[in-house]
Amino acid sequence: MSNTNEKIRLEHITKRWGEVVAVDDLNLKIEKGDFITLLGPSGCGKTTTLRAIAGLDEPTEGKIFIDNKLIFSKKEEIIVEPSKRNLGLIFQSYALWPHMTVFQNIAFPLQMKKLPKPDIKKYVAQALKDVRLQGYKDRYPAELSGGQQQRIAIARMLINRPDIYLMDEPLSNLDARLRIEMRAELKQLHQKLEATTVYVTHDQVEAMTISSRVCVMNEGVIQQIGTPEDVYRRPANLFVARFISNPQMNFFDGTVKKENGKMVVEAGGFRLPVDEEKINGRDSVIVAVRPEDFYIADDGVEYHVDAQLPAGSSQIIMVSRPGEEQVALLFEGTFKNKDGEKMKLAVKPETYNIFDKETEKVLV
Amino acid sequence: MSDLAIQSGSPLLRRLKRNYSQPQRIIGLILLLLLLFFVFMPMVNLLYTSFTLSYSDQRLPEVKASGVEFEEGKFSLVHFRRVFMSKLSKPMLLIPLMNTLLITAGLTILSISWGCLLAWLVVRTNLPGKKALANIAALPYIIPSWVISLAWINVFKNQRIGGSIGWFEYMTGIAIPNWFAYGPVPIIICLSLHYYAYAFITVSGALASIDSRLEETGELLGANRWQVMRKITLPLVMPSILAAFILTFSKGIGTFGTPAFLGIPVRYYTLSTQLYANVKNGLEGDAYLLAIVMILISGITIYMNVKVIGARKSYVTIAGKGFRAKPIDLGKLKHVVFIIMVLFVIFFVLFPIYILLAQTFMEAEGDYSMANFTTHFWIGEAGSIGSKGQVMGMGESGILRNPSIYQGAWNSLRLAVLVSFLAAVIGIFLGYAIVRGKGTILSKMNDALSFAPYIIPGIAFGAVYLGMFAQPRGPIPALYGTFSLLVIVSLAKRLPFSSRTGTSAMMQIDRELEEAAGLVGAGFFKKFTRIIYPLTKSGFVAGFLLSFITTMRELSLIVLLVTPKTKVLTTMIFRYAESGFHQFGDAITMIIVVISITGTLLIKRFQSTSLVKGV
């Protein structure tokens, strides 16, 4: 049933390009004021989904509702034009018209609405002020920096006062510093205007920092939807665990044992307690431990230090045990170990995830 | 928000309505119909006509001898037998075919070697003044290919065939033998002087993209300069040499003006001039078969190009950063090469133009003394009496006073303007339909059909149109002798270029630019006028000028279709040359040369200020 808080609903959306299935039976509800990120590797169907919402691509199957009104249905051949969906889109390339000045770019949507000239002037001036680019109205896009172009694209999107913002990898063309700056700006913008935002990115850090909900996709299928904390701490499957990790997630083959009447999983030398119910009779599983979830303990498992990669406030240490894969550790501050030395490690309780070997679904 | 009223009717109806209201589909369909009618149909008709009897075939001896009652439009192998399996095959097909192949092979080898050498000198060495030399050396490419052959006649003709002596005999007193004045030798030389530009342009482009560190690595690893050239440089530019080879070859097959000027006086025929002679003699059926032969040869070469070379058209050797091109030091040879280059430019580029210009000021051909100087052929009044008491120019006035020339010039001008404007417009629409409809059958058909005229040599294409539009076709009345026919045929022949320009211009426009406009409610018309046209404008202007020059100097395509009423400058030159009035012809040639050069300079200006490039 529909609820009043819902803004966008996708039902059974499938998109095929010939043989290739870009999006496969996707169902998604987006609430009013949500900032949802579609996250996944390239080719996972995230941009296709966004373009389907915008009406730029036509899904092969399925229905889309906005404000509980049917705006797309393949079966009924209902397709509301993009311009009638009351949404704004920032393209990955910004799609600023290179032959128009900043003013003309931002004024274009208003000209399409046939607003009187003085009004257009007034609104564009206000929009330029909002993005702090007052003095730039007669410049051409090519004469602006990447960050300024980005802000013009935002101004052009906002000028029509849409109630849905769609953003397709808007920060991917910026350098690292500017990206962090613009991230904050986009977040503030969302908090101020409270418009429902659908944001596409392949950068998991970006997704974690900016959104209220993250939707991880792979091969056209949604893997997990949840808050950034959820997908980080409780990945639904191995793919999500692997994708949302910085630096890499450590995976161990685990063997289930019963010791002193309690269930444990033995993995990488560690003995990790586990609920018998959740293991449900399996005897081998996959254990995932994040690099920051190790600590040094006197009764820990002995590891050999292969390399230390200090990075200012924290550092990554690569360690290994004979005949096993390398493990990455992340420690705050500096660490006074030397390469070739031994260190004794333990895993923080309740931080690790355990996955089924076959289905790759999460157990713990 | 959404207007559900527009969603009425049954799903199927809505689907049809939406699919066929997509602009690229409507445009694509309209273009497809036009292409079918103006490209596909004429070719089918050509095939059909060569295997049926036409009214004029009644007088053919084979038809009379067969005893069967003549019936117009009946299927017949008469033409096929005449061209391929009779006594006539030798003079009509075999000899011209051999001549064509000989000339084409000769000119291809000559122009590829010269073009490559020149490209290497200009791009990779420290030859002094190479930029200026390269620009002047490209001149013959800009002016019509047959201009040099007209100059050749003026320099080397002899009394026996040319009617008067040429510059060379005048200066030296040495009579030129026929084989050097006319026939295959001068044809090959003159054509090479035009067509070397293809190899020069493509190969110098490839050479310029080679990072000289690739060669230096070879040297560091112990190869000498010759080995580096053979094992590294040559293989890297090989694809573009092969491409130039095929392009020159397929152009050579269809070339008309030069073999006509230098071959017909000594009855040396190529396929193109034989085809022309057949049409002039009312043997259209035979001519059409020759056209088919030419199309086949040209088609096979281009097919080879696509299949054999297309797979690895070019190596990407530009790595993006740190690109370096170190010129090779020619050492002491530098000055020798420089002098040779200057001599080449003087003798083969500037001198021919000078000779043609000088000729226009001569009262009697071949007399280079001041006493023979006259401005009659430019500004003289009709019926002026010359210094020897005879009427000059057969009583015709100078070209700047001659209403007949003005009519030809007017026809040339309006033809060139109309064709280039329409070609540029059609090009943008073709580009839109092909690029935006990418992957659909419609887009593929439009792409293929608009490319088809490329494989058809100009004179054969003229023949195709002669066969198609000499009589009423559907809603179109008989067009032979009309100006519209010239416009349509020139436009159709320009299609491959317009469609290429249009497609590449469209590809430069990111689809998102158009979508961004659509998203805020711009319809197709608004998108086209506000986004697409402004962004393709500079390409549009350059394309317009290029078409303008090409049409202005076009001869082979329209020579079969022009009538006295629709004559243009180039066909007037041709008629003057045919009837031995070189001064008039040369004077008009000068005008075309000036127009061609000016147009090219304008194109360069427009291309360097392309808007899209800067973004």
Side-chain angles (χ1 to χ4, degrees):
Chain A
M1 272 315 293
S2 59
N3 71 56
T4 47
N5 222 11
E6 173 193 292
K7 188 70 192 172
I8 306 169
R9 186 164 86 245
L10 307 181
E11 283 182 3
H12 305 292
I13 292 293
T14 296
K15 175 72 186 177
R16 287 185 216 102
W17 305 99
E19 295 282 291
V20 185
V21 184
V23 175
D24 194 4
D25 193 28
L26 181 136
N27 293 285
L28 180 64
K29 277 184 196 171
I30 300 167
E31 307 217 322
K32 271 187 188 133
D34 235 356
F35 193 123
I36 189 165
T37 300
L38 305 180
L39 173 68
S42 65
C44 73
K46 55 194 192 299
T47 297
T48 312
T49 308
L50 188 84
R51 289 173 61 87
I53 299 173
L56 298 172
D57 280 340
E58 218 178 88
T60 327
E61 281 164 40
K63 289 181 181 178
I64 301 175
F65 297 82
I66 291 180
D67 290 329
N68 286 313
K69 282 190 196 125
L70 184 63
I71 57 147
F72 173 83
S73 162
K74 187 63 197 178
K75 217 196 260 157
E76 290 154 275
E77 288 291 338
I78 289 174
I79 294 165
V80 174
E81 279 173 48
S83 57
K84 301 212 168 96
R85 296 183 181 192
N86 198 21
L87 41 79
L89 172 57
I90 296 180
F91 292 89
Q92 184 170 9
S93 66
Y94 312 145
L96 297 177
W97 298 298
H99 59 295
M100 295 187 194
T101 61
V102 165
F103 179 87
Q104 289 166 328
N105 262 288
I106 302 177
F108 190 89
L110 301 179
Q111 287 167 351
M112 290 300 115
K113 283 187 170 168
K114 301 207 167 59
L115 253 61
K117 268 190 182 147
D119 286 0
I120 293 181
K121 259 192 167 157
K122 199 175 74 197
Y123 288 130
V124 174
Q126 182 57 44
L128 281 170
K129 212 173 141 196
D130 288 343
V131 294
R132 290 174 283 114
L133 284 171
Q134 289 100 318
Y136 293 87
K137 77 180 176 63
D138 294 322
R139 300 269 194 105
Y140 283 93
E143 297 165 339
L144 301 175
S145 71
Q148 288 168 332
Q149 290 183 12
Q150 169 79 82
R151 296 219 288 271
I152 298 302
I154 294 172
R156 189 178 66 183
M157 176 184 80
L158 294 181
I159 196 99
N160 252 355
R161 301 170 187 279
D163 46 31
I164 298 173
Y165 302 158
L166 305 177
M167 306 186 188
D168 184 6
E169 308 236 7
L171 306 182
S172 62
N173 289 334
L174 302 177
D175 61 54
R177 245 183 89 168
L178 208 52
R179 213 178 301 165
I180 293 169
E181 225 176 279
M182 288 307 298
R183 230 186 255 166
E185 250 177 72
L186 287 180
K187 197 161 185 173
Q188 283 164 17
L189 186 79
H190 175 251
Q191 282 160 356
K192 194 169 112 196
L193 300 172
E194 291 181 334
T196 312
T197 305
V198 184
Y199 187 99
V200 161
T201 183
H202 65 269
D203 181 337
Q204 48 110 355
V205 179
E206 202 168 290
M208 307 299 282
T209 49
I210 206 167
S211 34
S212 57
R213 281 208 302 160
V214 179
C215 167
V216 186
M217 293 178 69
N218 186 37
E219 292 179 346
V221 178
I222 294 180
Q223 306 291 321
Q224 186 173 8
I225 306 175
T227 62
E229 174 74 13
D230 267 347
V231 288
Y232 190 77
R233 282 286 155 210
R234 285 174 289 281
N237 57 32
L238 267 183
F239 173 83
V240 178
R242 221 175 275 137
F243 197 78
I244 315 258
S245 53
N246 181 38
Q248 73 205 59
M249 178 76 122
N250 299 299
F251 295 100
F252 301 96
D253 281 327
T255 325
V256 184
K257 280 183 184 162
K258 209 156 197 172
E259 280 178 6
N260 311 325
K262 281 187 177 169
M263 271 303 215
V264 290
V265 175
E266 196 186 303
F270 307 109
R271 282 186 165 66
L272 308 167
V274 67
D275 243 352
E276 186 163 1
E277 259 170 62
K278 287 184 175 153
I279 291 298
N280 200 10
R282 293 175 179 83
D283 37 83
S284 69
V285 289
I286 292 173
V287 177
V289 186
R290 295 199 178 272
E292 66 268 31
D293 292 337
F294 293 94
Y295 66 96
I296 295 168
D298 293 336
D299 58 346
V301 183
E302 197 173 73
Y303 269 78
H304 177 265
V305 177
D306 294 334
Q308 303 183 68
L309 316 165
S313 63
S314 63
Q315 78 169 323
I316 294 167
I317 302 168
M318 304 303 293
V319 297
S320 66
R321 291 206 318 160
E324 284 181 21
E325 286 204 23
Q326 226 168 25
V327 175
L329 316 174
L330 182 73
F331 285 103
E332 296 298 319
T334 43
F335 198 74
K336 293 275 183 281
N337 260 39
K338 279 196 185 117
D339 287 1
E341 278 181 13
K342 309 268 186 225
M343 58 196 291
K344 289 192 168 172
L345 295 173
V347 178
K348 294 178 192 164
E350 320 235 311
T351 58
Y352 46 90
N353 298 110
I354 295 174
F355 299 89
D356 184 89
K357 250 188 166 166
E358 303 297 317
T359 63
E360 304 201 338
K361 289 218 166 82
V362 75
L363 301 169
V364 177
Chain B
M1 65 168 284
S2 68
D3 179 9
L4 282 166
I6 56 160
Q7 307 288 350
S8 58
S10 75
L12 181 71
L13 211 72
R14 280 200 291 269
R15 176 180 185 162
L16 283 174
K17 201 175 139 198
R18 207 181 53 247
N19 276 353
Y20 289 92
S21 62
Q22 283 176 1
Q24 77 262 30
R25 217 175 277 219
I26 297 172
I27 294 170
L29 275 173
I30 294 172
L31 287 170
L32 183 67
L33 285 179
L34 287 174
L35 287 172
L36 282 174
F37 194 76
F38 289 108
V39 177
F40 185 69
M41 283 274 290
M43 287 170 65
V44 172
N45 181 64
L46 183 79
L47 207 60
Y48 172 78
T49 316
S50 26
F51 288 97
T52 46
L53 290 173
S54 69
Y55 181 74
S56 61
D57 290 335
Q58 279 181 81
R59 57 190 174 78
L60 290 177
E62 290 87 345
V63 174
K64 282 181 186 156
S66 66
V68 182
E69 202 187 328
F70 176 79
E71 196 187 317
E72 205 179 328
K74 202 172 123 192
F75 175 80
S76 159
L77 286 172
V78 159
H79 299 292
F80 187 80
R81 288 214 189 89
R82 273 171 62 89
V83 174
F84 292 100
M85 312 190 298
S86 75
K87 292 198 302 286
L88 283 169
S89 306
K90 201 175 160 193
M92 193 146 68
L93 176 72
L94 280 181
I95 294 180
L97 178 63
M98 293 320 288
N99 290 345
T100 303
L101 292 177
L102 172 82
I103 285 176
T104 309
L107 98 90
T108 306
I109 293 167
L110 213 61
S111 37
I112 294 289
S113 350
W114 178 235
C116 290
L117 180 67
L118 202 65
W120 183 75
L121 284 173
V122 166
V123 177
R124 302 312 301 270
T125 71
N126 61 347
L127 186 73
K130 57 184 189 180
K131 276 251 165 67
L133 283 173
N135 278 332
I136 305 174
L139 253 182
Y141 174 67
I142 295 164
I143 60 184
S145 65
W146 36 266
V147 167
I148 298 173
S149 62
L150 288 179
W152 186 280
I153 294 176
N154 286 331
V155 176
F156 292 115
K157 69 182 166 188
N158 56 26
Q159 187 91 43
R160 210 152 16 114
I161 290 169
S164 60
I165 59 168
W167 177 85
F168 189 82
E169 192 169 343
Y170 177 84
M171 292 309 216
T172 62
I174 303 166
I176 304 289
N178 274 348
W179 66 264
F180 194 72
Y182 296 97
V185 174
I187 293 177
I188 290 174
I189 296 175
C190 289
L191 285 175
S192 306
L193 285 173
H194 177 76
Y195 286 119
Y196 80 82
Y198 286 120
F200 176 66
I201 291 166
T202 49
V203 176
S204 57
L207 276 174
S209 73
I210 296 179
D211 189 331
S212 59
R213 282 176 306 191
L214 291 175
E215 294 170 321
E216 285 165 0
T217 311
E219 278 182 56
L220 283 174
L221 294 171
N224 63 34
R225 195 177 282 181
W226 170 241
Q227 283 169 321
V228 167
M229 179 71 140
R230 214 162 40 102
K231 300 248 172 179
I232 298 172
T233 317
L234 211 55
L236 281 174
V237 293
M238 209 49 188
S240 46
I241 294 181
L242 282 175
F245 184 91
I246 301 278
L247 185 64
T248 314
F249 193 89
S250 64
K251 286 274 171 193
I253 296 287
T255 183
F256 173 75
T258 302
F261 291 134
L262 291 169
I264 293 177
V266 288
R267 295 202 177 74
Y268 183 85
Y269 284 98
T270 61
L271 283 176
S272 58
T273 52
Q274 181 65 45
L275 190 159
Y276 173 76
N278 280 356
V279 172
K280 286 283 117 170
N281 295 329
L283 299 167
E284 278 93 355
D286 300 352
Y288 296 159
L289 279 173
L290 289 182
I292 293 172
V293 172
M294 289 174 79
I295 294 171
L296 283 180
I297 300 178
S298 173
I300 290 167
T301 24
I302 288 165
Y303 178 79
M304 269 165 45
N305 180 29
V306 175
K307 282 290 145 186
V308 183
I309 305 161
R312 43 164 212 163
K313 210 159 222 147
S314 66
Y315 297 101
V316 179
T317 54
I318 303 175
K321 47 184 162 184
F323 179 75
R324 227 159 72 87
K326 194 181 76 179
I328 291 163
D329 188 8
L330 288 176
K332 283 187 187 131
L333 264 176
K334 195 164 78 175
H335 303 290
V336 181
V337 175
F338 177 71
I339 289 166
I340 294 174
M341 288 287 293
V342 169
L343 288 178
F344 169 80
V345 163
I346 290 175
F347 276 107
F348 291 109
V349 181
L350 301 178
F351 183 65
I353 293 174
Y354 160 75
I355 278 287
L356 288 179
L357 190 62
Q359 184 87 24
T360 64
F361 292 106
M362 282 180 212
E363 191 179 319
E365 281 183 57
D367 179 357
Y368 286 81
S369 65
M370 261 328 272
N372 192 36
F373 180 85
T374 178
T375 54
H376 173 82
F377 295 100
W378 287 97
I379 52 167
E381 278 184 49
S384 303
I385 304 300
S387 58
K388 297 175 189 81
Q390 86 291 26
V391 181
M392 287 196 290
M394 293 297 276
E396 279 195 41
S397 57
I399 64 162
L400 298 181
R401 276 175 185 258
N402 191 336
S404 165
I405 301 281
Y406 279 108
Q407 202 206 328
W410 168 238
N411 281 341
S412 275
L413 191 73
R414 65 186 176 135
L415 178 67
V417 169
L418 257 175
V419 168
S420 16
F421 177 74
L422 292 174
V425 173
I426 291 178
I428 290 193
F429 283 109
L430 262 175
Y432 189 81
I434 292 172
V435 174
R436 292 290 182 258
K438 202 170 160 56
T440 60
I441 299 169
L442 191 60
S443 157
K444 281 179 194 152
M445 281 181 76
N446 275 332
D447 198 17
L449 273 178
S450 62
F451 180 71
Y454 187 74
I455 56 174
I456 308 174
I459 192 141
F461 203 69
V464 168
Y465 264 63
L466 189 65
M468 176 80 181
F469 292 108
Q471 46 200 294
R473 295 282 178 189
I476 297 176
L479 287 175
Y480 183 71
T482 63
F483 183 70
S484 324
L485 180 59
L486 298 188
V487 175
I488 296 171
V489 75
S490 309
L491 200 53
K493 189 78 176 89
R494 287 302 299 167
L495 277 173
F497 303 94
S498 341
S499 116
R500 286 301 119 119
T501 333
T503 343
S504 66
M506 277 314 294
M507 300 234 256
Q508 281 185 44
I509 304 178
D510 191 339
R511 194 175 53 154
E512 293 187 344
L513 290 177
E514 219 184 298
E515 289 172 349
L519 217 52
V520 293
F524 174 72
F525 181 74
K526 274 272 169 1
K527 281 197 267 186
F528 202 86
T529 51
R530 296 285 306 269
I531 315 285
I532 297 168
Y533 174 68
L535 285 172
T536 47
K537 201 163 55 186
S538 63
F540 185 88
V541 174
F544 176 89
L545 285 167
L546 192 63
S547 290
F548 183 85
I549 303 172
T550 321
T551 312
M552 204 72 188
R553 66 188 191 196
E554 183 60 66
L555 173 63
S556 63
L557 178 67
I558 51 177
V559 71
L560 293 174
L561 304 172
V562 161
T563 56
K565 208 181 73 194
T566 58
K567 67 188 167 202
V568 295
L569 289 179
T570 49
T571 58
M572 293 182 81
I573 298 171
F574 185 68
R575 303 274 176 254
Y576 278 125
E578 259 187 336
S579 49
F581 278 110
H582 286 120
Q583 289 99 321
F584 283 126
D586 295 346
I588 308 171
T589 305
M590 281 298 114
I591 294 175
I592 293 183
V593 166
V594 170
I595 292 174
S596 300
I597 294 175
T598 320
T600 310
L601 292 177
L602 281 175
I603 292 176
K604 282 206 160 168
R605 274 197 59 162
F606 275 104
Q607 278 173 340
S608 60
T609 54
S610 164
L611 244 173
V612 186
K613 235 186 261 167
V615 178

